[in-house]
Amino acid sequence: MGLPAVSIITPTEGRPDMVATLLKSSHKARLFYSGWTEHLIVDNSEESVSYKIEEICRVHEAKYIKADTDNVRKKRNLGAELSKGDILFFLDSDIEPTEEIITTHIESLTIDAPGSLGTIKFCGKPTLWNTIMETTALTQSFNYAENYKTALWGPAANLMVWKNKFEAINGFTVDFPALLGGDDLDLTLRLTDTYGPLKCTPKAICFHERRTWASFQSAIHRSFRWGRMEFYLLKRHEKKAVASPLKFWVCAFLAFFVTFFFSLEPLKLAVMFFTYLIF
């Protein structure tokens, strides 16, 4: 039996420079791997940007797919639907994979496991805000592959899954209220509930660009988005939720304090979420 065919899927909107970096690296990884590969870029950028991304795809032998939605889950599902591989390899647009990444994932992945989870390391210029983000539980899952042999969930920034198992659980859930955030947690929980834990592959490494959360505004926006989605994920997977009265009352008190004195809803939500991470 030959090596399985691999379809890399990346949703994006804008970011032509990051897409170029990603495709330059993924093309090397595709050449390093002895089996068949393809890389699908699913993009919904405005025309002034989309033609640049389409040209970048042509240069690096990737397939450009124009999407009519800004819903990241729908774009990932569209890429999976149009893919031709036995395996789906999800990489984000702000990721730079190593040359060995596909080969290393494949060597780790077994037929009985639903997928393989790789390691995500940070690259680029550190700022105060992305340094804070990297020290919270928000990015803890980026290191699961280095710390565990298996995982029950993980981020889709460096995730390889069997296509037939992905299709059997109907792919990414698209009816969450927010356009993105938490979809990888939901997908991998449903995968592992059905097929058992993900294999952790610490040497399947990619690098995450720090620019995507370099400012205070971007850090708060991402924290709020993930915090908001946690509510809906807990409702969807309530059997996995664990009550923490101390955490609840500390968050509630600080939220009341900030609201009473400042009347700033975004600040209240940020305090609640960062307090939740600390305790």
Side-chain angles (χ1 to χ4, degrees):
M1 183 177 178
L3 290 168
V6 177
S7 296
I8 307 172
I9 298 170
T10 300
T12 192
E13 181 178 3
R15 299 180 171 181
D17 56 335
M18 291 187 185
V19 172
T21 300
L22 164 69
L23 288 181
K24 182 178 180 180
S25 299
S26 75
H27 189 256
K28 292 179 181 178
R30 292 169 61 194
L31 293 175
F32 188 86
Y33 178 58
S34 300
W36 182 89
T37 63
E38 64 178 350
H39 195 152
L40 292 79
I41 299 293
V42 187
D43 173 50
N44 66 300
S45 303
E46 295 181 357
E47 188 174 347
S48 59
V49 177
S50 63
Y51 83 90
K52 296 179 183 178
I53 296 177
E54 190 169 5
E55 175 61 18
I56 293 167
C57 288
R58 187 191 64 78
V59 170
H60 297 289
E61 299 179 353
K63 296 181 180 179
Y64 179 83
I65 299 171
K66 184 65 176 176
D68 59 1
T69 177
D70 56 356
N71 187 306
V72 173
R73 305 176 189 96
K74 290 182 178 180
K75 288 194 285 185
R76 284 178 170 144
N77 283 346
L78 176 61
E81 180 184 344
L82 297 176
S83 67
K84 298 178 181 178
D86 308 302
I87 289 175
L88 306 177
F89 185 18
F90 293 101
L91 287 176
D92 283 352
S93 59
D94 52 2
I95 289 294
E96 185 176 352
T98 57
E99 187 177 46
E100 304 86 1
I101 192 168
I102 300 174
T103 302
T104 307
H105 267 302
I106 293 296
E107 289 174 350
S108 171
L109 186 58
T110 57
I111 194 69
D112 57 319
S116 171
L117 182 65
T119 300
I120 303 169
K121 297 180 179 292
F122 290 98
C123 67
K125 184 180 179 180
T127 67
L128 172 64
W129 306 113
N130 55 41
T131 300
I132 291 173
M133 292 280 284
E134 290 165 32
T135 56
T136 69
L138 282 171
T139 57
Q140 192 176 49
S141 61
F142 286 18
N143 300 316
Y144 279 175
E146 289 186 315
N147 298 322
Y148 305 103
K149 291 184 178 180
T150 60
L152 295 179
W153 72 275
N158 182 4
L159 176 68
M160 186 175 280
V161 300
W162 290 103
K163 183 177 180 178
N164 60 340
K165 295 178 180 180
F166 175 88
E167 291 176 335
I169 64 165
N170 298 315
F172 287 94
T173 301
V174 298
D175 62 352
F176 284 121
L179 294 175
L180 74 164
D183 39 304
D184 42 11
L185 196 160
D186 173 70
L187 173 82
T188 49
L189 280 178
R190 288 186 290 114
L191 271 174
T192 58
D193 281 347
T194 306
Y195 298 107
L198 299 163
K199 292 289 293 289
C200 285
T201 310
K203 293 183 179 180
I205 299 170
C206 67
F207 295 91
H208 189 294
E209 175 58 63
R210 284 190 170 100
R211 278 183 291 167
T212 52
W213 49 30
S215 66
F216 173 76
Q217 183 180 9
S218 61
I220 290 297
H221 183 265
R222 188 166 295 211
S223 300
F224 172 73
R225 189 174 71 219
W226 286 346
R228 178 191 181 193
M229 280 306 304
E230 186 166 333
F231 168 76
Y232 297 102
L233 288 165
L234 287 171
K235 288 185 67 177
R236 188 69 56 96
H237 302 279
E238 59 183 20
K239 292 183 179 179
K240 300 183 184 300
V242 178
S244 178
L246 175 62
K247 185 183 292 186
F248 171 80
W249 286 111
V250 170
C251 290
F253 172 77
L254 288 176
F256 171 78
F257 179 84
V258 171
T259 305
F260 182 80
F261 285 99
F262 299 101
S263 298
L264 295 175
E265 184 70 13
L267 184 58
K268 179 188 74 172
L269 292 169
V271 168
M272 286 180 68
F273 191 59
F274 277 112
T275 306
Y276 177 84
L277 293 174
I278 294 168
F279 279 86

